[in-house]
Amino acid sequence: MTDLTAAAPGTPVTVFDDADHLGEALAQQILGGLAATPSGGRYLLGCPSGRSLRSTYQALARLLAPDTDLSRLVIVMMDEYVVGGPGDFRRIDPGLTHTCAWFAEHEIRRPLNAAVPDGTPLSPEQVWLPDPPDPAAYDRRIADAGGVELFLAASGAGDGHVAFNAPPGDLGAGSAVLELADQTRRDNMGTFPEFRSLDDVPRYGVSVGLGTIGALSRHVVMVLIGQAKQESAARILAASDFDPTWPATFIHRCPDPRILLDTSAVRRARAPEFG
């Protein structure tokens, strides 16, 4: 693990040997925060679907004690594909394997519950998703719950999108139904192999906004894993502030921000001053 705090002005940067080491360190932070949550309180964890945080979710399940109480944990998912049109947007069938709902169920909730046979499981009601007919209600729900303790963020490889927020990024944007940029849809083809062509990828999604994350979180971590994220890592580390042409640079404006990378993501991002 290498501390590269000087790489991005004002934003601490840590590079891990690989995705597994990164995931374990981040999982330990999450478990520490959950353990410190008072009885009766809630620990809201902002979660993307997809590849970037998979090692973190796997480490969480691996590190949980069998008697862990998960009743205080709330999984705040970032986005979901929608079908229909203006005035009649609705969530896509949650049984489809490329949905955020499917990912949350099969890659987060079920593995966590399987790891706590003697504890209190995570109920379906503890997994939150934005609602297409009233996206702004998601922001209100998060705010009413006291905000997200830790928001895990990831960057699109081709355009720096965060959730479904493509360029130009808007720091003030709240949750909304968005028409997906073609580059965002291409990136999602790599995430979900069941998409055989761009035509298979939905054209609309409901998503938290950059403002949702920035205004309603106490801590935000940007995670970049793998060679596919080298360009995004380079753009984020080179930025000294938010650049709307690469929305993931919003991390520099987030509360208590951190950037975590593995070595395969950081190679092209290395600058002479830090090797």
Side-chain angles (χ1 to χ4, degrees):
M1 182 175 72
T2 306
D3 185 356
L4 301 177
T5 303
T11 303
V13 180
T14 306
V15 179
F16 294 83
D17 290 340
D18 53 40
D20 289 339
H21 284 89
L22 187 159
E24 183 160 332
L26 191 47
Q28 292 280 16
Q29 178 184 348
I30 294 166
L31 292 175
L34 181 61
T37 303
S39 178
R42 289 189 287 186
Y43 182 92
L44 271 63
L45 179 67
C47 294
S49 57
R51 295 166 289 177
S52 296
L53 274 298
R54 185 167 276 141
S55 66
T56 299
Y57 303 143
Q58 292 170 347
L60 265 177
R62 187 171 63 250
L63 295 173
L64 281 171
D67 60 351
T68 302
D69 178 3
L70 294 180
S71 65
R72 290 168 291 177
L73 178 62
V74 176
I75 302 298
V76 179
M77 300 303 292
M78 298 182 79
D79 51 33
E80 184 59 286
Y81 292 118
V82 302
V83 294
D88 186 34
F89 285 120
R90 56 196 181 279
R91 287 182 196 148
I92 200 167
D93 178 359
L96 296 172
T97 56
H98 58 264
T99 65
C100 182
W102 191 96
F103 185 97
E105 177 66 13
H106 293 269
E107 300 218 26
I108 302 178
R109 195 179 79 88
R110 290 190 185 186
L112 295 186
N113 285 349
V116 294
D118 303 321
T120 305
L122 190 70
S123 72
E125 290 73 27
Q126 291 168 252
V127 178
W128 294 0
L129 290 157
D131 187 19
D134 188 6
Y138 203 48
D139 294 357
R140 295 193 297 270
R141 186 181 192 186
I142 294 169
D144 290 347
V148 172
E149 185 64 29
L150 175 62
F151 219 118
L152 312 175
S155 168
D159 61 0
H161 67 266
V162 175
F164 286 143
N165 297 279
D170 179 359
L171 285 175
S175 295
V177 173
L178 304 172
E179 185 172 5
L180 307 186
D182 283 349
Q183 184 58 58
T184 300
R185 295 169 66 225
R186 290 189 187 96
D187 285 351
N188 288 351
M189 287 178 66
T191 301
F192 300 108
E194 52 267 59
F195 292 144
R196 293 165 295 177
S197 72
L198 192 61
D199 289 340
D200 292 336
V201 185
R203 293 184 175 274
Y204 290 91
V206 60
S207 173
V208 297
L210 299 184
T212 304
I213 302 171
L216 298 177
S217 304
R218 290 182 179 83
H219 314 279
V220 183
V221 174
M222 176 63 66
V223 175
L224 299 145
I225 288 175
Q227 292 184 4
K229 298 302 175 76
Q230 287 179 351
E231 176 64 24
S232 193
R235 294 284 296 263
I236 294 169
L237 294 182
S240 59
D241 199 355
F242 174 63
D243 176 1
T245 67
W246 203 263
T249 58
F250 92 121
I251 187 64
H252 299 306
R253 293 283 195 94
C254 287
D256 191 23
R258 293 168 61 213
I259 301 170
L260 306 183
L261 311 93
D262 73 347
T263 53
S264 61
V266 79
R267 287 192 182 109
R268 280 183 56 195
R270 288 188 183 277
E273 64 267 23
F274 58 95

